[in-house]
Amino acid sequence: MTNLPIPVMSTAAPGNFLTSALWNAQVRDAINFVLNPPIFFGYSTSTVSLAAGVFTAIGLDTEVFDSYGGHSTVTNTSRYVAQVAGVYEVIGAGSLQSTSGTLLAVYVGKNGTIIPGSEVETPPMSTHFNGISSPPAMVQLNVGDYVETYVLCSSAASTANGGPWCSLSVKFIHP
């Protein structure tokens, strides 16, 4: 039961009969949507080379779940594209390989533009993974809008690979 539209509730009037069509449209579909909202979590298992001082969208080659088919591992792999309009909670995470003295910044973008309140950065670390998650951000998405995780480092570096170090989480909250 994927890609269910947000149900539209009607107002019952005296004398209406409870038909199976009315039950399915008013009760079953509403419950199915609540039990199966749009959610997505994906991450990159590949290394991404980052230029110094440039935010780079991170491609996601692994999907843990994608209940509405908003992500492709073939085309525009960094993007989750909204299939249902509404308010979503989004979180991006980024991590660098062991890189001494490199600042790391992460934000989540909507249609290529930063979502206010989603950027975070860490001070330069030494000799171990340097990773961080953006704070949860609420964003209004229309059908076709997309969100991505962007990562920046202060000197040329590569993202960590082999696990969910660079990721994107998207959860439908409200119509």
Side-chain angles (χ1 to χ4, degrees):
M1 297 217 181
T2 60
N3 295 344
L4 298 170
I6 297 173
V8 177
M9 302 299 275
S10 66
T11 302
N16 279 1
F17 292 105
L18 181 58
T19 64
S20 60
L22 181 64
W23 177 266
N24 288 341
Q26 300 304 305
V27 178
R28 182 203 63 189
D29 289 352
I31 291 171
N32 283 338
F33 184 83
V34 168
L35 294 175
N36 186 36
I39 56 173
F40 169 77
F41 179 72
Y43 62 91
S44 175
T45 60
S46 304
T47 299
V48 177
S49 295
L50 303 171
V54 178
F55 275 103
T56 303
I58 302 299
L60 309 169
D61 57 14
T62 302
E63 296 174 351
V64 177
F65 43 81
D66 184 2
S67 66
Y68 273 60
H71 179 261
S72 171
T73 56
V74 177
T75 305
N76 294 322
T77 61
S78 62
R79 298 177 179 182
Y80 175 81
V81 180
Q83 305 299 302
V84 174
V87 177
Y88 288 78
E89 177 185 75
V90 294
I91 302 171
S95 183
L96 302 178
Q97 291 185 4
S98 184
T99 306
S100 180
T102 300
L103 172 131
L104 169 67
V106 173
Y107 76 79
V108 179
K110 171 187 172 184
N111 299 334
T113 303
I114 187 172
I115 297 170
S118 73
E119 185 176 353
V120 65
E121 58 184 54
T122 63
M125 303 293 223
S126 61
T127 66
H128 62 282
F129 284 124
N130 184 5
I132 195 163
S133 291
S134 70
M138 300 285 211
V139 61
Q140 174 70 46
L141 298 177
N142 294 315
V143 174
D145 285 344
Y146 63 91
V147 290
E148 302 171 287
T149 298
Y150 289 85
V151 176
L152 169 139
C153 55
S154 58
S155 60
S158 295
T159 60
N161 63 354
W165 307 114
C166 294
S167 63
L168 178 64
S169 170
V170 181
K171 180 171 64 171
F172 180 86
I173 300 295
H174 191 274

